[in-house]
């Protein structure tokens, strides 16, 4: 039932939002350059890798050694607005349509975090990752990694369609009030280095 919901709604949303997605893509290309899409491998269901798609919110500014500068230097005011409105997440509708993601589930994180999870934290990969999730409506990037993973695992252990509907409703509310977009003192959120 969840997969049927994901497929039907993502297909409908892609069709309805096609003009908006096109406008955002053109604006990103004009403001931040080409390509407009950001593609990165992420672990999904059972830890299997897939490519997540997002609209770019950062420039490619590098230092003298050719290394990318920290997020705080590359995240523009336009990028912040994109994140505030969650417009950067729109391309993930394609990931949902393909079955790599769901609308609701733990957010797909960096591949480099895989060996850092303890056994309980690794349970977040027992379901498809989501565009939004229980951690996102309970603090998003403003909470600690440990809290975030605890919310993820709680969702895995207690998931129902009714809970998914509640999370989707709360997500819309969070977008409008713009809560928890970044961690205090960070442009986004500091990297996970493992739990104590």
């Amino acid at each position: 039932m969840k997969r049927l919901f994901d497929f039907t709604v993502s297909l409908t949303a892609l069709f309805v939002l096609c003009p908006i997605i096109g406008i955002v893509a053109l604006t990103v290309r004009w403001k931040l350059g080409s390509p407009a899409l950001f593609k990165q491998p992420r672990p999904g269901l059972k830890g299997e890798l897939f490519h997540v798609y997002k609209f770019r919110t950062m420039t490619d500014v590098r230092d003298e050694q050719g290394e990318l500068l920290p997020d705080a230097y590359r995240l523009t005011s336009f990028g912040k607005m994109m994140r505030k409105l969650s417009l950067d997440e729109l391309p993930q509708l394609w990931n949902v349509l393909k079955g790599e993601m769901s609308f609701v589930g733990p957010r797909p994180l960096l591949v480099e975090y895989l060996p850092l999870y303890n056994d309980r934290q690794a349970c977040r990969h027992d379901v498809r990752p989501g565009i939004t999730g229980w951690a996102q409506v309970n603090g998003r990037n403003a909470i600690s990694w440990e809290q975030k993973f605890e919310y993820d695992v709680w969702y895995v252990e207690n998931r129902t369609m009714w809970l998914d509907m509640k999370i989707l409703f709360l997500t819309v509310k969070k977008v409008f009030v713009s809560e928890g977009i970044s961690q205090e003192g960070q442009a986004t959120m500091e990297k996970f280095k493992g739990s104590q």
Side-chain angles (χ1 to χ4, degrees):
M1 184 175 176
K2 180 175 170 116
R3 178 63 193 135
L4 179 61
F5 172 85
D6 285 341
F7 180 84
T8 305
V9 175
S10 61
L11 184 62
T12 304
L14 280 167
F15 178 75
V16 172
L17 297 175
C18 190
I20 295 173
I21 292 171
I23 291 168
V24 172
L26 289 172
T27 308
V28 170
R29 182 160 184 175
W30 174 52
K31 293 272 191 179
L32 300 175
S34 184
L37 282 180
F38 169 78
K39 182 176 84 167
Q40 189 177 55
R42 298 283 175 97
L45 181 64
K46 303 302 180 187
E48 291 186 16
L49 300 187
F50 71 100
H51 282 98
V52 70
Y53 297 96
K54 299 177 75 172
F55 281 123
R56 285 178 59 197
T57 57
M58 297 186 188
T59 65
D60 286 330
V61 174
R62 298 173 184 269
D63 60 20
E64 296 80 16
Q65 287 75 42
E67 298 292 324
L68 285 172
L69 292 177
D71 291 356
Y73 293 96
R74 298 188 297 120
L75 184 59
T76 64
S77 57
F78 171 71
K80 289 177 184 176
M81 182 272 294
M82 290 270 292
R83 290 184 177 205
K84 182 178 179 181
L85 299 175
S86 295
L87 292 174
D88 59 317
E89 310 284 357
L90 285 175
Q92 289 172 41
L93 290 169
W94 178 245
N95 291 119
V96 175
L97 185 68
K98 290 169 65 180
E100 297 164 334
M101 290 180 65
S102 176
F103 277 104
V104 180
R107 287 291 296 155
L109 300 175
L110 298 176
V111 175
E112 66 193 70
Y113 295 168
L114 282 173
L116 302 178
Y117 298 137
N118 61 36
D119 289 344
R120 179 166 175 75
Q121 292 167 348
C123 291
R124 67 192 310 280
H125 295 297
D126 289 348
V127 297
R128 284 187 180 89
I131 292 178
T132 186
W134 191 233
Q136 279 59 53
V137 298
N138 283 286
R140 203 169 172 181
N141 289 331
I143 58 177
S144 70
W145 281 111
E146 282 69 24
Q147 287 175 303
K148 185 176 288 196
F149 293 143
E150 197 55 42
Y151 282 131
D152 287 343
V153 175
W154 184 90
Y155 171 79
V156 171
E157 295 172 344
N158 296 275
R159 65 191 186 278
T160 63
M161 280 303 295
W162 289 115
L163 178 59
D164 280 11
M165 294 301 109
K166 178 180 179 180
I167 291 170
L168 288 171
F169 172 78
L170 291 172
T171 298
V172 173
K173 180 183 172 185
K174 288 282 183 181
V175 169
F176 279 108
V177 297
S178 303
E179 290 179 345
I181 297 168
S182 61
Q183 191 177 48
E184 189 174 344
Q186 301 286 330
T188 50
M189 188 169 185
E190 68 176 337
K191 286 195 171 187
F192 178 55
K193 299 180 179 70
S195 299
Q196 297 297 317

